[in-house]
Amino acid sequence: MPKLSIIMPVFNTEKYLREAIDSIIQQSFTDWELLIINDGSTDSSENIIQSYTDKRIQYHRNDQNIGLISTLNKGIDICTGDYIARMDADDISEKDRFKIQLAFLAENKEYAMCGSYAKVIDENNNETGKILNLQTNDFLQINLLFSVPFIHPSMMFRREVLKNNYFDPKYKHAEDYELWCRIANNYKIANIPDYLLRYRWHTNNVSVTYSQIQENIKNKIICKELQNIGLQPSEKELYLHKITFQQFDSKTEVVKQKFEDYSQLDSWFWKIIDSNKNKQKYNEASLIAFLWSRWIVLCISQKKYNQIWKPKFASYNLSVLYRTFNLLIFLKKKI
């Protein structure tokens, strides 16, 4: 059996498919199987796949289009490797991606999955940006309470973790976010701070095509995560909860509306900290630092510099200050 199984769903991606497959074949780590699952493509994708003679490539074709979630779950069932990696048919993996991710998981047995940074490319392979996410378990666990801190096609997992945690069709268009949360509730998680993927951003991305549906599902997931620490946010509290990410981290252009509800946001962040004291789900110093860094981002985006040091939820404990400072340095890199 191979050490690594790679799941690559394919649906009408003839334009980019060969580059994606070639990037797997050219990996410095060679003990893998590539499971290409054609989900009813009507273009030349099948001809491209069948042109390869590498015996490590396994081709599977769905009788009809069954959708991404069912195709991914089918791939999980077929996998035989000790580890499972994701790959999209329009992205490009860097040469040492699998070697680096496998080394991390081999050395850190308590971690269930890891992602990486990515360079964003357009339809013509021009680099248009970079995606950096937090790296450490403490901060990623907290980040999941607000948004997705992983790039799906950069992910690698231990096989037994995915065999016990399939993608849930109830969360279509945000099924990855829900799965990351479910895994994170039981295991440690990480991002490797290396650019191991070239992530293609174009008009067919789910985040572009189904943005409003995806946002509604994300709200459902956020509320479920908040319930894990005993909170059921009102509509206003959910708005406050998301505001700093909407102002800074959105993939789309967001009109930065005037924000004046600092007192209410302060109260909501304090509510999160207080609820966490009872549940002990998150490291308290990391949680306060995370919330404070988001508060500062909002203040800066609104040019309300006098508000930066005023929140009642903040702490001047050295551990909190150190974490907050490092988070702000990281966030500056994302700009």
Side-chain angles (χ1 to χ4, degrees):
M1 291 190 301
K3 188 78 170 176
L4 174 66
S5 298
I6 305 142
I7 302 174
M8 180 190 288
V10 172
F11 180 67
N12 290 344
T13 52
E14 60 181 2
K15 184 176 180 181
Y16 312 111
L17 182 55
R18 192 171 294 280
E19 281 184 293
I21 296 173
D22 287 348
S23 77
I24 303 302
I25 292 173
Q26 293 161 9
Q27 288 291 303
S28 57
F29 178 84
T30 59
D31 186 14
W32 49 259
E33 61 176 2
L34 173 59
L35 308 178
I36 303 178
I37 308 175
N38 186 353
D39 190 27
S41 295
T42 56
D43 63 1
S44 63
S45 291
E46 181 168 64
N47 292 335
I48 293 170
I49 297 164
Q50 291 181 330
S51 72
Y52 286 87
T53 58
D54 193 312
K55 293 182 179 179
R56 296 171 298 178
I57 297 175
Q58 294 185 28
Y59 178 46
H60 302 267
R61 186 174 69 175
N62 297 334
D63 293 333
Q64 59 185 13
N65 180 268
I66 61 175
L68 178 62
I69 295 175
S70 295
T71 300
L72 288 173
N73 287 338
K74 177 179 179 178
I76 294 170
D77 282 332
I78 298 170
C79 286
T80 62
D82 296 330
Y83 300 89
I84 298 175
R86 271 286 287 115
M87 179 64 185
D88 280 345
D90 54 357
D91 295 330
I92 300 171
S93 284
E94 301 295 356
K95 183 177 180 181
D96 290 329
R97 175 192 165 188
F98 297 148
K99 181 176 75 172
I100 291 170
Q101 289 184 292
L102 284 166
F104 175 86
L105 290 173
E107 293 168 9
N108 298 277
K109 306 293 186 184
E110 70 276 26
Y111 283 78
M113 67 183 196
C114 64
S116 75
Y117 292 176
K119 294 180 180 178
V120 182
I121 56 175
D122 64 15
E123 297 177 0
N124 299 309
N125 286 349
N126 298 309
E127 185 178 327
T128 60
K130 295 178 180 179
I131 303 176
L132 294 78
N133 286 312
L134 292 166
Q135 301 126 44
T136 63
N137 178 65
D138 276 359
F139 284 133
L140 286 171
Q141 296 278 354
I142 298 164
N143 202 147
L144 282 167
L145 193 59
F146 293 82
S147 71
V148 185
F150 293 105
I151 306 163
H152 186 161
S154 79
M155 301 303 291
M156 184 180 289
F157 314 82
R158 298 188 189 280
R159 182 180 65 172
E160 65 271 17
V161 172
L162 275 192
K163 292 285 187 180
N164 292 311
N165 292 279
Y166 287 81
F167 290 92
D168 190 335
K170 295 196 299 291
Y171 297 91
K172 185 178 180 180
H173 303 312
E175 66 279 347
D176 50 356
Y177 185 14
E178 190 277 333
L179 180 60
W180 310 159
C181 289
R182 201 171 352 124
I183 291 173
N185 283 327
N186 296 289
Y187 301 93
K188 288 186 175 182
I189 54 178
N191 272 315
I192 295 170
D194 292 322
Y195 294 97
L196 303 182
L197 183 77
R198 275 175 273 170
Y199 178 67
R200 198 177 303 277
W201 187 254
H202 50 80
T203 54
N204 292 328
N205 285 91
V206 168
S207 296
V208 175
T209 309
Y210 300 101
S211 58
Q212 189 54 57
I213 297 172
Q214 188 180 60
E215 192 64 25
N216 293 337
I217 297 296
K218 284 182 177 179
N219 288 345
K220 181 179 176 182
I221 295 167
I222 288 169
C223 288
K224 187 172 74 165
E225 289 304 295
L226 286 168
Q227 286 171 10
N228 288 338
I229 57 172
L231 290 175
Q232 294 185 333
S234 65
E235 186 176 338
K236 176 67 173 182
E237 287 173 331
L238 184 59
Y239 160 76
L240 292 168
H241 188 80
K242 296 165 54 182
I243 188 64
T244 66
F245 282 84
Q246 290 174 337
Q247 292 281 310
F248 184 78
D249 295 65
S250 177
K251 295 185 182 74
T252 57
E253 289 298 321
V254 175
V255 177
K256 291 181 171 53
Q257 299 174 343
K258 189 175 181 180
F259 181 82
E260 296 289 352
D261 298 330
Y262 291 95
S263 177
Q264 292 183 63
L265 181 59
D266 193 354
S267 297
W268 173 244
F269 280 179
W270 175 257
K271 201 170 180 179
I272 294 173
I273 294 165
D274 192 50
S275 293
N276 183 64
K277 286 180 180 177
N278 296 324
K279 299 293 183 178
Q280 294 291 304
K281 180 172 172 59
Y282 307 112
N283 176 281
E284 183 168 323
S286 295
L287 178 59
I288 295 172
F290 185 92
L291 297 176
W292 199 0
S293 71
R294 303 310 308 189
W295 172 279
I296 293 171
V297 163
L298 178 63
C299 292
I300 292 173
S301 71
Q302 293 285 319
K303 295 183 171 58
K304 295 287 187 179
Y305 307 112
N306 62 321
Q307 293 283 350
I308 288 175
W309 309 108
K310 290 184 177 181
K312 295 175 184 176
F313 70 81
S315 167
Y316 288 90
N317 176 285
L318 285 177
S319 180
V320 172
L321 289 171
Y322 176 76
R323 286 171 166 84
T324 305
F325 179 73
N326 284 331
L327 280 170
L328 291 171
I329 292 175
F330 172 77
L331 289 171
K332 193 174 188 305
K333 292 179 184 177
K334 288 171 69 77
I335 297 174

